[in-house]
Amino acid sequence: MTDPKPTTCMRCAVGCGYLQEGAAPGRGVAAVSGHTEHPTSGGRKCRRGVRETVDPRGERLTTPLIRRGDSLHPTDWDTALGVVATRLIEAIRKRPSNVAVLGSGQQTNEAAYALGKVARGVFGTPHYDANTTLCMASAVTAYYQAFGSDAPPPTYDDIPEAESHVIWGANPAVAHPVLYRWIAESARADGGRLIVVDPVATKTAADADVHVQPDPGTDLALARAVLAHAVESGGVDEAFVDAHTEGFERTAESLPDAETAAATAGVPLDRVAAVAEALDAATILYWGMGVNQSIQGTATARALIDLCLATGNLGPGSGPFSLTGQANSMGNRVCASKGTWPGHREFTDASNRERMAKVWDVPLTRLPDSSGPGFVSIVDGLARGDIDVCWTVATNPVAGMPDAGYVKKALDDAFLVVQDAFRSDTLECADVVLPAATWGESTGTVMNMERRVSPVTAVNAPPGSARQDLDIVAAVGNRIHDGAFEGPPVDPESVFDELRELTAGTTADISGITYDRLERDLAVRWPAPDEDTEGGYRYYDDGAWSFPTDSGRARFSTAVHSAVPEPIDEEYPLTLTTGRESDTYNTGVRTRDTGETDTPTARMHPRTIADCLLSLDRGETVIESRRASVAVEVAPSDDVPPGVVWLPIHNAAANELTLSAVDPESAEPNLKQCAVTLHPPENVRRKRERDAPPLST
């Protein structure tokens, strides 16, 4: 084994510090231990992060592949890159928007920055996004609207100082185990309490002092009910509201009465009161995909921020805190030139555009006028034939996007370049495959959900001829625009230096963070405008508040619940929702055994099973939505409410059923609720036989 090297766990966005040791050449990581001196985690780690770092079960990609006929065949890098470059040049000559690039929260900051440079500065396409939009776009939009800037105000340091912990639409006991230990320890302290809002009785909810179960898709109605109760019961911190916010009167006037809003959410009024009363103490309000992945995701995130503002829960030991899934979702938002230029520089601002063109040494006119329509709309463009070439990097849209069958067909019809470390569902549609390095094989930096930048280090070379993401991106970029990068191989530190200088003076300033500083300090929180400072609680300095809004104040919102996009009816009388399991990685590419195509297990309340008994056959059924039918095994569970069907997000089959409607403000899809029905497996087989075309004679 190699000597231990400090690194950052890439399993989720908590950002735990590890010491890792390399195995034999090309065989990944041999051992991992918690780094006791790491300022983020202090040596804590979770079982799954260690396991998936040391022993990923997915099928590694080790050589470039190219499609000939109906199958993919090994090739060399020059051939693969030559084919990719030829198709890209042909597409760009028609128009830059003829190319789509889809990135990921799994890339390092350096690779994400480089991919944005290629997509925006070399290709000039507006059709560039990352899978972080599928998870965090609603929270990001809400932060900008409320505070004028992205990212949660609190840090991990605030967790032990809070008295109440309200977890809304998230299951951190499963998704963020180390973070959840801190929350649970604080909630168990004298005077502490834990409130969980989730339709399903999750592992997190099992620890709650109060578990509130709204109907799927009604979180906005419930949030407004809680605020209405706070207003009616005198729970508003009028001094804070008057001094540091704007728009509260309009918000108060727009509120429904608490009883009506609670009824809309299917929640008893005493449960609404319990949440409102918890907010009387210093409260951190956490939320996750159950809030964000909705057509009302932005409005609901705003409503949760409103609760914090109205009750004075902004400041050390309190505040709104969105929980991020992917390890470098935050870094993608800061570095990737996706929704903003690096450092959260506004995309359409003329001076920002001029600076980017100058640093990248490209014509200003090449930069796209728009940041793009969002992940789902890009796929719509592919389906319409408006986009000829698509390049995916460390993302698996065939499994991770709603209405997955539609997504697969759209990608099948385009020229698809897949860059990944593991075989994925999306790879089956690829025309060219570029094999990439994974954890323990790449060098760079990442940012966790509390804004800490920390290093990731390589303790081994990738297997076969696989390359680091940064080097692959640079090789593609240089084929289109000679000299876009020095190399490959590319020095990650030089890329980071270019990136950090671009953030100087912004709200996400990392210009004071260097590789030397990270080697010394291990992790540094932004904003860090010089080498001696790092960020703390956002917008708050020595008792004074300052928000980067026009008025300098935080802003309330006025949205109220409308309706779910696909309500149940006689034809589709059940509601499908989805969630995470503890031992599976995102869409399963790291944790799925080679060749494994397991049937997903749907959890249902025993009453639902009894009501649908004729649709079951030996513990199996078929779930049908308006988009697809999926065979599943059935497991009875009192944790799932009657009338609801729960599926894990990790199996691609789940998203064949889901709905592609998006939040109009964030473009994040409505992944957490759609209408379904059940059929016996035999009925579906007969229907397929009946609908099949007759055999020719």
Side-chain angles (χ1 to χ4, degrees):
M1 293 192 296
T2 63
D3 292 335
K5 281 188 178 181
T7 194
T8 306
C9 179
M10 293 291 287
R11 181 55 177 79
C12 75
V14 174
C16 297
Y18 283 171
L19 289 170
Q20 62 178 359
E21 301 170 55
R27 294 187 176 273
V29 179
V32 161
S33 59
H35 195 325
T36 57
E37 297 178 11
H38 200 278
T40 300
S41 52
R44 286 194 171 186
K45 60 188 185 300
C46 73
R47 181 187 62 185
R48 67 176 200 186
V50 172
R51 184 185 64 246
E52 291 174 25
T53 301
V54 173
D55 187 28
R57 297 203 309 265
E59 180 181 346
R60 284 303 302 270
L61 303 173
T62 61
T63 190
L65 304 173
I66 193 165
R67 185 169 296 281
R68 296 189 182 96
D70 293 333
S71 57
L72 291 164
H73 297 268
T75 189
D76 58 78
W77 274 100
D78 279 345
T79 300
L81 291 170
V83 171
V84 170
T86 298
R87 294 303 297 263
L88 285 168
I89 290 168
E90 290 173 353
I92 293 167
R93 279 176 179 164
K94 290 183 183 179
R95 59 188 183 282
S97 61
N98 201 22
V99 173
V101 181
L102 301 175
S104 168
Q106 276 295 306
Q107 299 170 269
T108 63
N109 293 321
E110 294 79 1
Y113 171 73
L115 188 65
K117 181 176 181 177
V118 172
R120 302 303 200 190
V122 175
F123 301 166
T125 183
H127 292 136
Y128 167 51
D129 206 341
N131 56 17
T132 53
T133 294
L134 305 178
C135 304
M136 295 304 299
S138 294
V140 170
T141 305
Y143 284 136
Y144 272 112
Q145 291 177 356
F147 301 128
S149 181
D150 181 20
T155 73
Y156 297 162
D157 295 339
D158 295 294
I159 294 173
E161 304 304 318
E163 298 174 58
S164 295
H165 299 268
V166 178
I167 300 175
W168 199 306
N171 187 13
V174 166
H176 305 97
V178 171
L179 172 70
Y180 182 64
R181 287 178 216 163
W182 300 328
I183 295 171
E185 287 169 3
S186 178
R188 285 195 296 266
D190 288 345
R193 68 185 120 179
L194 176 64
I195 311 273
V196 174
V197 180
D198 199 304
V200 176
T202 62
K203 186 176 180 180
T204 305
D207 293 336
D209 298 295
V210 177
H211 177 205
V212 183
Q213 292 182 273
D215 295 336
T218 64
D219 297 275
L220 179 55
L222 177 58
R224 288 317 194 196
V226 175
L227 183 54
H229 187 281
V231 171
E232 294 164 6
S233 62
V236 174
D237 185 335
E238 295 181 1
F240 181 86
V241 168
D242 291 344
H244 305 298
T245 74
E246 62 181 356
F248 176 71
E249 289 185 4
R250 292 191 301 276
T251 299
E253 291 169 0
S254 71
L255 291 174
D257 67 85
E259 187 171 0
T260 300
T264 299
V267 173
L269 196 57
D270 64 335
R271 295 284 173 166
V272 171
V275 180
E277 289 163 8
L279 294 166
D280 288 341
T283 302
I284 299 180
L285 201 165
Y286 315 83
W287 77 90
M289 302 308 103
V291 168
N292 294 337
Q293 292 177 333
S294 162
I295 61 166
Q296 299 182 137
T298 300
T300 305
R302 289 292 307 273
L304 299 183
I305 294 171
D306 288 346
L307 286 173
C308 293
L309 295 177
T311 57
N313 276 299
L314 204 65
S318 66
F321 202 145
S322 55
L323 301 181
T324 306
Q326 292 193 83
N328 203 31
S329 178
M330 180 70 73
N332 194 276
R333 285 142 61 180
V334 172
C335 307
S337 301
K338 186 169 65 79
T340 61
W341 300 114
H344 295 160
R345 293 183 182 273
E346 205 278 322
F347 198 87
T348 60
D349 179 85
S351 62
N352 291 340
R353 294 168 59 79
E354 289 169 3
R355 181 167 188 189
M356 296 309 303
K358 181 177 180 180
V359 170
W360 288 346
D361 192 24
V362 299
L364 178 61
T365 54
R366 184 181 295 171
L367 302 182
D369 296 329
S370 162
S371 61
F375 212 114
V376 172
S377 291
I378 289 172
V379 171
D380 287 339
L382 287 160
R384 290 192 302 267
D386 296 340
I387 303 169
D388 289 343
V389 178
C390 181
W391 177 18
T392 68
V393 180
T395 188
N396 188 15
V398 167
M401 288 192 68
D403 197 359
Y406 171 80
V407 175
K408 184 177 188 299
K409 185 178 185 309
L411 293 174
D412 265 334
D413 291 343
F415 183 84
L416 179 64
V417 182
V418 170
Q419 178 176 327
D420 214 328
F422 294 89
R423 178 174 287 274
S424 70
D425 309 85
T426 302
L427 179 139
E428 307 308 321
C429 304
D431 295 284
V432 177
V433 176
L434 306 177
T438 187
W439 313 348
E441 302 164 359
S442 296
T443 298
T445 59
V446 292
M447 296 182 196
N448 73 356
M449 70 175 86
E450 61 146 4
R451 297 175 277 119
R452 270 199 170 116
V453 180
S454 58
V456 292
T457 55
V459 290
N460 216 324
S465 62
R467 298 179 178 179
Q468 294 194 32
D469 277 327
L470 177 58
D471 289 335
I472 300 172
V473 170
V476 173
N478 284 347
R479 294 263 178 155
I480 311 303
H481 181 97
D482 188 32
F485 298 90
E486 292 183 11
V490 179
D491 176 24
E493 184 174 6
S494 66
V495 175
F496 186 78
D497 286 343
E498 180 176 304
L499 163 65
R500 67 187 184 86
E501 289 302 320
L502 281 167
T503 70
T506 69
T507 56
D509 192 336
I510 61 170
S511 62
I513 304 175
T514 63
Y515 271 38
D516 287 343
R517 184 178 182 185
L518 291 176
E519 184 176 3
R520 181 183 72 244
D521 297 341
L522 298 175
V524 180
R525 192 187 296 119
W526 60 260
D530 57 63
E531 291 202 35
D532 297 318
T533 61
E534 73 168 336
Y537 201 100
R538 295 207 78 192
Y539 319 121
Y540 184 79
D541 183 19
D542 196 25
W545 289 97
S546 177
F547 300 96
T549 60
D550 291 341
S551 65
R553 292 168 172 257
R555 298 179 288 218
F556 278 93
S557 65
T558 58
V560 294
H561 176 76
S562 53
V564 295
E566 192 173 72
I568 60 173
D569 55 23
E570 289 186 5
E571 188 177 4
Y572 296 93
L574 303 173
T575 296
L576 173 70
T577 193
T578 61
R580 291 183 182 271
E581 294 179 322
S582 59
D583 294 324
T584 309
Y585 178 78
N586 290 359
T587 60
V589 297
R590 293 186 71 89
T591 50
R592 187 186 306 152
D593 287 326
T594 301
E596 181 181 323
T597 55
D598 60 312
T599 300
T601 298
R603 292 196 287 151
M604 305 179 201
H605 193 277
R607 192 187 312 165
T608 305
I609 294 173
D611 290 343
C612 302
L613 205 55
L614 295 178
S615 296
L616 273 67
D617 181 5
R618 288 168 289 189
E620 297 183 348
T621 189
V622 171
I623 305 175
E624 179 187 302
S625 73
R626 289 180 170 85
R627 290 153 294 283
S629 298
V630 171
V632 300
E633 296 176 350
V634 175
S637 174
D638 291 329
D639 295 341
V640 179
V644 174
V645 177
W646 185 96
L647 278 176
I649 64 168
H650 317 290
N651 192 301
N655 276 333
E656 293 179 25
L657 301 166
T658 52
L659 182 68
S660 61
V662 299
D663 181 297
E665 297 179 280
S666 69
E668 184 163 349
N670 192 87
L671 284 161
K672 291 300 182 188
Q673 178 277 328
C674 70
V676 296
T677 189
L678 305 183
H679 292 299
E682 184 61 30
N683 282 9
V684 174
R685 286 194 289 271
R686 288 175 181 168
K687 183 178 185 298
R688 286 175 179 163
E689 291 169 1
R690 195 169 59 245
D691 294 344
L695 296 173
S696 57
T697 58

